Amino acid sequence: MHNFKTVITSFLLLSSLFFMMNGHASTVVQPADMVPVIIDTDMGFDDWMAILYLAKNPKVNIIAVSIDCYGETYCTNNRPARNAARLLKLAGKNNTLVYMGAPQAKHYWPTFPAKSRQASWKMQLPGFQKLAYNASNIHTRGGIAALVRLLVRAGQQKRPVKIISIGSAMNLSQAWQLAKRQHEQHAFSAGIEMIYKGGGAFGQVLRTPIKKSSLQLTNYNIDGNVNFPGFYLSNNTQAAWNIYVAAKPMQDLIASGLPITFVPTNLSSQVSINKASYLRLMKVAKHSKVAAFVIADIKNIVDGYGGWANNNLDYWDPSVAVAAINPGLITQKFQHVPVCVNIHKRKVTTISGYDQTGMSFYAFTPNTLPYYFSAILVNRPYSKNSPQKRYSRKACDYLKEASNPVTVDWKMSVDAFYQEFINQLA
């Protein structure tokens, strides 16, 4: 703990945002050789780490950051944009543009718990709010139109970008709808190399009946993360947060046919926020204010969840960023998977009981069980042997939702993830 206090004290006292590169000369990467990226973020605690990883990565050229106001932060007073600008300045990206997404509609529902949104909005880690930032790079209006312009221009220049979507799908869905209204959908689509969508959960892998050697994703045992025992209560066991808070926009994005790779909770659960990775970060934090910030972030969230003994947290959004920039680290993926989102709200149940967020959770249990609201479904039958004919039909076809093929990153080299993530923060 002494080392931790030393690092945080340094983090508070140092006013300069220039930091050492651990004594090693860094390789100069020209912008033409870098991966162009747009980060669409809801500024949760794990987003902070993902943004810093991307900003510190010499292979990445961050074109812009857009703030999702439907995810884990409030957007009051444009504070999340200022916080994003502080993160970028901390990592040495002083001139990166930050755009506010569309403000959340009044009385919109469902949302993240109030306590989580408040913590993400405040972002009160030691010394962070005192950091300077480049206010001229923050654009508080027209963020969706700016996204359209950036992507249309990228398509026209034949320099498509990777979109790291680590919030809800609201901003991207609205941008796509605007591009269509402006008859710019073709250039918009050409401007996207891939949307890496963090979130969602997929059912277990089974062998196909015809080819025993062939594996496929299914709708069996979908294990989402909206229901988080001890913290968030819900009888919706299949929903995952980044889909749950904007299910229809996610379905609209799938229906658009834009290229999407899901980095679901199935993958992120393989890279847990554990004490071993925390201690490795402690070592590099002696020379890196970015790493010092990340360990402060981790300590804050772990303490809030009851300490390491009760820790059930993963590197959710960092896993998306690492997977997007390092596809070679993915050890198993599924391609051309036809999927849709269940946006049908047939029955509403209020879950009562212990909920330290102070928020009642509404979970949708459709009449079409076992398909839950906001679950990502593979357009395959639930069971060919089901006594109920409706379950024997393809899920998306039965729900009358358009399905389109996506890629699903399923497994990642765990050791390589920790090494890549920590090394880039050094």
Side-chain angles (χ1 to χ4, degrees):
M1 290 303 296
H2 176 71
N3 287 341
F4 175 76
K5 291 179 180 177
T6 301
V7 171
I8 296 305
T9 300
S10 299
F11 180 66
L12 283 165
L13 295 177
L14 289 173
S15 59
S16 171
L17 292 174
F18 176 80
F19 49 87
M20 298 171 59
M21 294 300 294
N22 205 21
H24 300 286
S26 58
T27 302
V28 177
V29 182
Q30 298 300 322
D33 300 321
M34 299 167 76
V35 178
V37 161
I38 292 175
I39 305 172
D40 188 47
T41 171
D42 64 358
M43 290 297 289
F45 84 94
D46 49 334
D47 298 65
W48 309 341
M49 293 188 275
I51 291 169
L52 288 173
Y53 163 80
L54 292 165
K56 282 278 287 170
N57 195 316
K59 296 183 293 186
V60 174
N61 177 25
I62 302 177
I63 306 298
V65 174
S66 57
I67 305 298
D68 167 32
C69 297
Y70 284 76
E72 199 172 350
T73 188
Y74 294 117
C75 283
T76 312
N77 299 327
N78 302 311
R79 182 164 176 148
R82 299 200 304 272
N83 288 338
R86 288 186 177 97
L87 284 175
L88 292 163
K89 190 97 180 266
L90 180 64
K93 293 297 190 299
N94 301 340
N95 299 315
T96 304
L97 298 173
V98 180
Y99 295 99
M100 290 295 298
Q104 189 177 69
K106 193 174 182 180
H107 306 306
Y108 179 84
W109 184 89
T111 62
F112 273 87
K115 185 175 180 180
S116 296
R117 302 193 81 189
Q118 190 77 1
S120 298
W121 178 78
K122 288 182 176 180
M123 208 171 172
Q124 289 181 326
L125 293 183
F128 182 74
Q129 292 299 326
K130 295 180 181 179
L131 293 177
Y133 63 91
N134 192 340
S136 64
N137 290 334
I138 298 175
H139 298 266
T140 59
R141 296 181 182 275
I144 300 303
L147 276 178
V148 173
R149 290 195 299 271
L150 287 170
L151 291 168
V152 166
R153 189 180 304 122
Q156 292 169 342
Q157 295 175 345
K158 300 188 181 339
R159 182 62 169 155
V161 305
K162 290 185 177 183
I163 299 178
I164 315 296
S165 175
I166 46 178
S168 80
M170 185 64 77
N171 284 348
L172 296 180
S173 175
Q174 291 184 349
W176 170 245
Q177 299 302 327
L178 178 58
K180 287 201 301 182
R181 291 196 297 272
Q182 296 177 345
H183 306 290
E184 295 179 306
Q185 64 266 40
H186 297 299
F188 182 94
S189 178
I192 300 174
E193 177 184 326
M194 183 61 67
I195 298 170
Y196 286 87
K197 186 74 200 78
F202 288 82
Q204 70 187 73
V205 177
L206 295 177
R207 296 192 181 278
T208 62
I210 301 173
K211 298 180 180 179
K212 292 185 178 180
S213 60
S214 178
L215 299 175
Q216 67 177 19
L217 294 176
T218 71
N219 296 318
Y220 287 91
N221 300 328
I222 303 172
D223 189 11
N225 66 358
V226 165
N227 183 52
F228 207 98
F231 302 98
Y232 311 141
L233 299 176
S234 176
N235 66 349
N236 190 333
T237 59
Q238 297 182 355
W241 272 112
N242 282 353
I243 313 301
Y244 182 72
V245 295
K248 188 178 185 305
M250 186 70 250
Q251 172 57 22
D252 291 343
L253 206 60
I254 290 172
S256 73
L258 294 171
I260 300 173
T261 292
F262 279 95
V263 186
T265 58
N266 308 79
L267 184 147
S268 60
S269 64
Q270 300 165 36
V271 287
S272 62
I273 296 178
N274 53 39
K275 198 167 186 178
S277 64
Y278 176 82
L279 293 175
R280 288 176 64 181
L281 276 165
M282 285 285 293
K283 292 179 181 179
V284 302
K286 298 175 182 178
H287 307 283
S288 168
K289 289 178 65 178
V290 171
F293 175 90
V294 171
I295 62 170
D297 183 14
I298 291 173
K299 185 177 188 302
N300 181 65
I301 194 72
V302 169
D303 287 350
Y305 277 61
W308 291 108
N310 298 318
N311 176 44
N312 192 27
L313 301 164
D314 300 324
Y315 285 103
W316 287 293
D317 291 340
S319 72
V320 183
V322 171
I325 305 304
N326 306 276
L329 299 188
I330 303 301
T331 58
Q332 185 178 15
K333 69 169 55 186
F334 293 88
Q335 295 179 304
H336 311 297
V337 182
V339 302
C340 67
V341 179
N342 181 11
I343 60 175
H344 297 263
K345 300 178 282 191
R346 302 291 182 85
K347 180 181 178 183
V348 180
T349 305
T350 304
I351 304 302
S352 60
Y354 178 71
D355 177 10
Q356 71 178 42
T357 67
M359 173 183 173
S360 296
F361 265 75
Y362 296 91
F364 296 114
T365 309
N367 292 333
T368 55
L369 279 172
Y371 306 139
Y372 285 67
F373 172 73
S374 87
I376 295 181
L377 300 173
V378 180
N379 197 25
R380 297 190 176 110
Y382 184 80
S383 171
K384 290 189 175 181
N385 300 318
S386 172
Q388 297 170 295
K389 291 183 179 179
R390 62 187 183 188
Y391 298 156
S392 300
R393 296 171 60 188
K394 292 181 178 180
C396 301
D397 293 348
Y398 174 71
L399 293 170
K400 297 181 180 179
E401 295 298 340
S403 66
N404 265 317
V406 301
T407 298
V408 180
D409 285 349
W410 189 251
K411 290 183 179 180
M412 175 186 282
S413 173
V414 174
D415 290 341
F417 165 82
Y418 288 120
Q419 181 175 351
E420 166 67 13
F421 178 63
I422 294 171
N423 284 353
Q424 294 299 342
L425 299 179

